[in-house]
Every structure is written in structure tokens, then in C-alpha cells.
Amino acid sequence: MTPSVMALSTSAPSKKIDGKAIAQAVREEVASEVAELKRIHGEAAGTPGLAVVQVGGRLDSATYVNMKEKVAGECGFLSLKTLLDEKTEEKELLSIVQGLNADPRVDGILVQLPLPDHINQKVILEAISVGKDVDGFHPQNVGNLARIGEELRQQRGAPFSYKVSNNNACTPLGCIELLERSGVEMSGADVVVLGRSNIVGLPLAMMLIHRNATLTLCHSRTKDIAEKCKRADIIIAAIGQPEFVKGDWIKEGAVVIDVGVNFKDDPKRKSGKRMCGDVDYKAAMANASLITPVPGGVGPMTIAMLMRNTVENAKLRLAE
Amino acid sequence: MTPSVMALSTSAPSKKIDGKAIAQAVREEVASEVAELKRIHGEAAGTPGLAVVQVGGRLDSATYVNMKEKVAGECGFLSLKTLLDEKTEEKELLSIVQGLNADPRVDGILVQLPLPDHINQKVILEAISVGKDVDGFHPQNVGNLARIGEELRQQRGAPFSYKVSNNNACTPLGCIELLERSGVEMSGADVVVLGRSNIVGLPLAMMLIHRNATLTLCHSRTKDIAEKCKRADIIIAAIGQPEFVKGDWIKEGAVVIDVGVNFKDDPKRKSGKRMCGDVDYKAAMANASLITPVPGGVGPMTIAMLMRNTVENAKLRLAE
């Protein structure tokens, strides 16, 4: 080894997990898979289709929907956007979802949440075809995630006549992807997840158990939450409370994934606010070996994993 | 208070959770509900129906099936037993399940596991109607259990046009029932579950999270498992290893639920073996405030909860 290389290798490695760069890598991989699918199966069959449905004019929803449309385009997908009036009836939304279920061009259907109060969200989510449910919110996809061992049975050579769904929730998938691409060993690790939402905490808990982590799931009723964090090899915070996790809750060398997106008063900024996560980033950085920033950590991964789910569904369709 | 009563009340309360007595209480409650259903709706409509299907002649399966039939009869159910040859094809079993799905007399369908290797268990379990799946193994029922918050939405007054399933796995339901009837507070408690099977550990984990427990799920890849147990307010062992949990792993005053059914060599017995759980019962008794024995703890609860699931389905049918 030359001295100059040695000098390079002794410089402190960055502790920051760059979610922006990793999300970009995932999107590029998806785009190159799509190019390959089109080459093999032709433009018509080979193009994955993502349908996004938005009800009402919420600004945040519109922003998300537009971002999804843009990234889908960059990945080479067919992107179908349906914008519906705030007053759209449940019945009408249902029939639109059923139309998309039947549309052979569509591999992924995403109904942007939240829906207006007069629409039963569960009814709509359950109406989406299990195989096109790229958000992974259908109870059957949740249920497939909440079981283990099917793969073992498959390996044992039993007949295997059903299709396993790839559709799991995108934000927790993004957290797992960040850990995997950062070389973090999940098997045998003591992992504390803060938050038990249907969108992040619960599916993430299952994904970690599948990967042989020892899971502790903490929430508002948990006692001595700091003590539990202090014992964790990996902490994943998804509780939506600004800088809830303090620096001294982080064990030396632990890995921290921050799913929170919060705003805190900051008189130094023009807007009077700054974005922050569920973790006190600066303080946590002292003890953590790896940590995601907010913004630029988990955030960009959600849409990248949505693209991944959609292309996986297209591959299953083409393999039939 | 008279001195004699005082003398009685100062005698040490039993630490043993009597699963046999609690299971009997549950069965009696079910039987009296069934009597009431028959009184209100008449014998034909008011009788809950439980269909049990057994493929092949495994002795253990036959024993379980016969026990289920017997208890169903005691509860006043219609009990339908289908015994099929070991060589029955998947297609044939499927059509039998579909027939039971369509049979208006049947509120619960149970296909006894394990199935012979040539039959895909997942295909069969997914063919059982979600509303009659009294074993709670259908992915949609697993998925309903693995989500939270629907009840909140319901309370908010949103339209509520779907039926929530009551069908969750019977053994974990039995553990919860034992804790509830023993007055054990789950909310905020640190609970360690040992084992992550689809039949016990995973659904139990979800049930505990629903009840505001802080869950730590341990398994074969978990490090320092003794340390984790020592911090637990409640330990539930379901790993199938004889007396794996040692007495000094139990925190003073902790509650211990032992799901294990194992056999250990015992030269003092005629059979040369004795039944034991996953916990060293005698040693654990010293520290535990409450503990289930094996046999006579969790075991009798499984069938009692199966009866509970069936009568709940019948009540939903009659409420339609």
C-alpha cells in the first residue's frame, strides 16, 4: 500500500447516510431495467405503468403526486394521473380504481392519502388489486409481510402455484434499503423502532424481523424510552416529534435512521422555521457511526421504492 | 373483618394461572351465548357451525380434531367433520373448502395442519373465506391484525361499510385472554416474546402492540436473550425448546406465559418422558408473580378461543 493511499484511508469516513445519492442510484437502476424490458418485450408491453389518483386539491398531495409523476417519467414509465374533485363520491372513486385494476397498461396504482373524510379510506385501499398495490397498504399485502416462512416451503419443493406480492410500504422499504446499501448488518442487531404507524413503524417492524433483527417497538405508552434507545445497535425514529431523540440516547457506534419530517421555529431563517427530523441530528452525530440527515435521508427513498415496486410488478406481469 | 377472614387473606395467593379453569369459563360463556342466539333466532339460524377438515391419518391431528369436535358439541355448535384420504389432491380439497365457504350453516372453517407435502398449504388457507377463517391464518386476517387505527377512524364518524374480521389466531388470543383474566396490565408493560412463528409469535406481537405493550421480539438470532428476559415485565415463551428460559432470567414479580409443549427424558416416569414447557417452571416460580404451567396453561385456551371466534362469526352473520 502506498503512503498516499494510507493517508487517504485514515481520513475519517463520513457518518452521513446520503439518501439523496442512494435514491438516485435506485432510480437509475430502475430506469436501466425499464430500458432492458422495453428492448426485450417491445415498447408497448415492456413499459411499466404507474397510475396516481388524487382526490381534492391539497397542496401537499399535489406536490407529492407531481414528484411521483416526474420520477416515473424519468424511469421510463407510462404515467397516468387522475385528478378528481374534492366532492367525488366513494362510489365513483371505486369505479375508477376498478378501471385501473383492469387496465393492462397499469402495473401500479397509488391513491394519494389522505382522502377526504366522506370517503372510507380502507374501502378504497382494499379495492386496489393486490398485485398493483404499489403502496403496500392492502391488508393482503400487509398480511403477506406479517408472515414468514413461505420461502422455506418453496425451497422444500412444494407446489407453488401462487404469486408472492412484492408490494410493501415504500417508506419502510426505503429505510431497509438505506441500511443495506450502507453495509449495516441487521441480522442479530438490537433494533429500536420508535412509532407504530401503519405506514412506517408496523411494516418496518416486520421487515426487520424478516431480516433477523431483534425488534423493540416503542411508542407513546413506552416507559424509559431513552434507556431502550441507549441499548440499540440501530434506532429508527418515526414518531413525528421534532428532535425527540437526544444525542445521549445514542450508543457509541449505533446507526440512526430518522424518518421524521417536522418543522421547528428558527428566528435565524427568513421563513422563521427549519425542517428537522425526530432526532437531534447534531448531538446524535457525536455518538452515531452512521446517521441519516433530514432532509436528504429517508425522504427521497420513498418515491424511489415506489418505482422499484412498480417495475417489479411489471416484471411479474411479463414473466407470466 | 373477622380474624378468620384475615387469616385467609394473608395466605399467599397462588402464582399459578389456571388455564384449564379459564378455558372452561370461556367455553361456558360461549355455550350460554349460543343458547341465547338459539332462543332469539331459532334453532336453525341461531346455531353456530364449525367445519373441521382433516387430510390424512396423523394421530396428533386426529386427536386435535376430535377434541375440537367434542368441545364444539358442548358449546351447542353444529359440528361438521370431513376426513379425507392422505392422497387427496389439492384441487379436491379446494373444492371442499369452497363448498364450506358457500354453506350458510358454517360460521367457521378449520383445515387441520400440517397438510401432506403435495398440497400447498398457503393456497388452501387463502381459499378459506376471510369471514369464516377461525384459525386466523388468511393473509387478509393477518393483515387486519397487523394494522392499527381503523377503530379511530370509525369513531371519527367516517362511513364504515366493511366488516372487520374477528378471526385471529387462537393460541395467541388464548395468551392475551389469560393475561386479561388474570388482571395483568399490558399497556406500557415491557413484554418479551420468544419466537416468531406465524402461529404464535408474530400474531401475538401484533396483539400486544394493539394493547399498548412495548414489544421486544426475540428469536434464534437474538443476542443476550437472558438479559432481555431479565428486563421484561411479561415474558411469553413460544420457541419449542424444553425449559429454555431459566429461573434467574425472570425479574422479580414478572408474569410468565409458557406456550411450549415439549417432552424431556425422565427416568422416574413409566413412559421415560415428561411434558414440559419452554420455561423451567419450578425455578421461574420463585421470581414470577404469575406463571402458566405446562400442561394446563395455554394449551386448553386454543380450542376455547376457536369456539369464541366461531360464535363471534355467527353473531356477525345474524346481525346482517
Side-chain angles (χ1 to χ4, degrees):
Chain A
M1 204 182 274
T2 67
S4 67
V5 171
M6 281 195 64
L8 271 173
S9 70
T10 53
S11 71
S14 173
K15 288 184 169 187
K16 193 175 87 171
I17 297 179
D18 187 345
K20 235 171 127 175
I22 294 176
Q24 163 118 16
V26 172
R27 291 196 308 263
E28 284 171 8
E29 287 165 20
V30 170
S32 91
E33 282 183 36
V34 171
E36 184 69 5
L37 289 177
K38 290 180 184 176
R39 198 185 59 74
I40 297 171
H41 301 280
E43 191 77 19
T47 302
L50 176 63
V52 182
V53 181
Q54 186 190 340
V55 184
R58 286 178 62 122
L59 266 182
D60 55 349
S61 289
T63 306
Y64 288 129
V65 164
N66 289 337
M67 279 166 65
K68 287 164 188 172
E69 196 184 17
K70 179 170 167 283
V71 177
E74 288 168 8
C75 288
F77 290 3
L78 169 71
S79 179
L80 301 171
K81 183 159 78 170
T82 310
L83 298 178
L84 298 170
D85 188 86
E86 175 80 25
K87 293 198 168 59
T88 303
E89 280 182 41
E90 184 175 304
K91 218 169 45 180
E92 196 186 336
L93 179 55
L94 260 182
S95 96
I96 286 165
V97 166
Q98 282 152 2
L100 294 169
N101 284 343
D103 189 334
R105 299 171 305 166
V106 173
D107 296 299
I109 301 169
L110 185 150
V111 177
Q112 184 67 39
L113 302 181
L115 288 169
D117 268 356
H118 68 279
I119 296 179
N120 187 330
Q121 183 171 302
K122 189 165 185 286
V123 167
I124 300 302
L125 295 182
E126 291 190 6
I128 297 172
S129 153
V130 171
K132 297 187 177 189
D133 167 43
V134 278
D135 251 348
F137 293 155
H138 191 288
Q140 187 138 351
N141 282 321
V142 176
N144 282 332
L145 179 63
R147 300 189 301 184
I148 44 183
E150 304 303 340
E151 308 72 22
L152 291 177
R153 196 172 162 87
Q154 188 176 11
Q155 283 162 16
R156 267 175 53 212
F160 197 67
S161 56
Y162 65 93
K163 200 165 76 175
V164 176
S165 164
N166 289 300
N167 292 313
N168 294 138
C170 298
T171 301
L173 273 181
C175 297
I176 297 288
E177 193 78 16
L178 287 176
L179 290 168
E180 278 177 353
R181 298 212 184 208
S182 305
V184 176
E185 178 66 85
M186 282 173 268
S187 180
D190 289 332
V191 183
V192 164
V193 172
L194 304 176
R196 52 177 166 171
S197 72
N198 293 326
I199 299 176
V200 185
L202 292 181
L204 186 53
M206 289 308 312
M207 291 173 191
L208 289 162
I209 293 165
H210 279 269
R211 285 162 181 82
N212 295 320
T214 299
L215 170 83
T216 297
L217 188 57
C218 299
H219 45 74
S220 54
R221 308 293 182 87
T222 296
K223 57 185 181 187
D224 306 330
I225 204 160
E227 286 308 308
K228 290 176 175 71
C229 287
K230 283 175 189 174
R231 289 192 292 262
D233 302 314
I234 302 170
I235 297 177
I236 309 183
I239 38 167
Q241 291 193 39
E243 300 179 347
F244 178 81
V245 177
K246 309 305 171 203
D248 63 354
W249 297 11
I250 314 292
K251 186 171 75 173
E252 180 76 36
V255 175
V256 180
I257 304 288
D258 190 347
V259 186
V261 178
N262 312 295
F263 292 90
K264 238 188 150 164
D265 289 337
D266 186 352
K268 282 182 259 167
R269 306 246 172 156
K270 257 192 206 162
S271 64
K273 302 215 173 274
R274 67 177 172 88
M275 191 188 279
C276 69
D278 290 348
V279 179
D280 183 345
Y281 182 75
K282 274 189 194 158
M285 179 70 93
N287 290 334
S289 64
L290 285 169
I291 183 167
T292 60
V294 176
V298 174
M301 294 301 294
T302 301
I303 291 184
M305 300 318 291
L306 180 68
M307 302 302 139
R308 165 63 52 210
N309 279 349
T310 307
V311 76
E312 293 300 328
N313 287 343
K315 281 151 74 178
L316 280 173
R317 168 174 57 79
L318 292 164
E320 267 169 4
Chain B
M1 205 181 274
T2 67
S4 67
V5 171
M6 280 195 66
L8 271 173
S9 70
T10 54
S11 71
S14 173
K15 289 184 169 189
K16 192 176 87 172
I17 297 179
D18 187 345
K20 234 171 127 176
I22 294 176
Q24 163 117 17
V26 172
R27 292 196 307 263
E28 283 171 8
E29 287 164 18
V30 170
S32 91
E33 282 183 36
V34 170
E36 185 67 7
L37 289 178
K38 290 180 183 174
R39 196 185 61 75
I40 298 172
H41 300 280
E43 191 78 19
T47 302
L50 176 62
V52 183
V53 181
Q54 186 190 340
V55 183
R58 284 178 63 122
L59 265 182
D60 55 349
S61 289
T63 306
Y64 288 128
V65 165
N66 289 337
M67 279 167 64
K68 287 164 189 173
E69 197 184 16
K70 179 169 167 283
V71 177
E74 288 168 8
C75 288
F77 291 2
L78 169 71
S79 178
L80 301 172
K81 184 159 78 170
T82 309
L83 298 178
L84 298 170
D85 189 85
E86 174 80 26
K87 293 198 169 60
T88 302
E89 281 182 39
E90 185 175 304
K91 217 168 46 180
E92 197 186 334
L93 180 55
L94 260 182
S95 96
I96 286 165
V97 166
Q98 282 151 1
L100 294 169
N101 284 343
D103 189 334
R105 299 171 305 167
V106 173
D107 296 298
I109 302 169
L110 186 149
V111 177
Q112 184 67 40
L113 303 180
L115 290 168
D117 268 356
H118 67 280
I119 296 178
N120 186 331
Q121 183 171 301
K122 189 165 185 283
V123 167
I124 300 301
L125 294 182
E126 292 191 5
I128 297 173
S129 152
V130 170
K132 297 188 176 188
D133 167 42
V134 279
D135 251 348
F137 294 155
H138 191 287
Q140 187 138 350
N141 282 322
V142 176
N144 283 332
L145 179 63
R147 299 188 303 183
I148 43 183
E150 304 303 340
E151 309 72 21
L152 291 178
R153 196 173 161 85
Q154 188 176 9
Q155 283 163 16
R156 266 176 52 210
F160 198 66
S161 57
Y162 66 95
K163 200 165 76 176
V164 176
S165 165
N166 289 300
N167 292 312
N168 295 137
C170 298
T171 301
L173 273 182
C175 296
I176 297 288
E177 194 77 17
L178 288 176
L179 290 169
E180 278 177 355
R181 298 212 184 209
S182 305
V184 177
E185 179 65 84
M186 281 173 268
S187 180
D190 290 332
V191 183
V192 164
V193 172
L194 304 176
R196 54 177 165 171
S197 72
N198 293 326
I199 298 175
V200 185
L202 291 181
L204 186 53
M206 288 309 311
M207 291 173 192
L208 290 161
I209 292 166
H210 280 269
R211 285 162 181 81
N212 295 321
T214 299
L215 169 85
T216 297
L217 188 57
C218 300
H219 45 75
S220 54
R221 307 294 181 88
T222 296
K223 56 185 182 187
D224 306 330
I225 203 159
E227 286 308 310
K228 290 176 175 71
C229 287
K230 282 175 190 175
R231 289 192 291 261
D233 302 315
I234 303 170
I235 296 177
I236 308 182
I239 38 168
Q241 291 194 38
E243 300 179 348
F244 177 82
V245 177
K246 308 305 172 203
D248 64 355
W249 297 11
I250 315 291
K251 187 171 76 173
E252 181 76 35
V255 175
V256 180
I257 305 288
D258 190 348
V259 186
V261 177
N262 312 295
F263 291 90
K264 238 189 150 164
D265 289 336
D266 185 352
K268 282 182 258 166
R269 307 246 172 156
K270 258 192 204 162
S271 63
K273 303 214 172 275
R274 67 177 171 88
M275 190 188 280
C276 69
D278 289 348
V279 179
D280 183 345
Y281 182 76
K282 273 189 195 158
M285 178 70 92
N287 289 335
S289 64
L290 286 169
I291 183 167
T292 60
V294 176
V298 175
M301 294 300 294
T302 301
I303 292 183
M305 300 318 291
L306 180 68
M307 302 301 138
R308 166 61 54 209
N309 278 349
T310 307
V311 76
E312 293 299 328
N313 287 345
K315 282 151 73 178
L316 279 174
R317 167 175 57 80
L318 291 164
E320 268 169 2

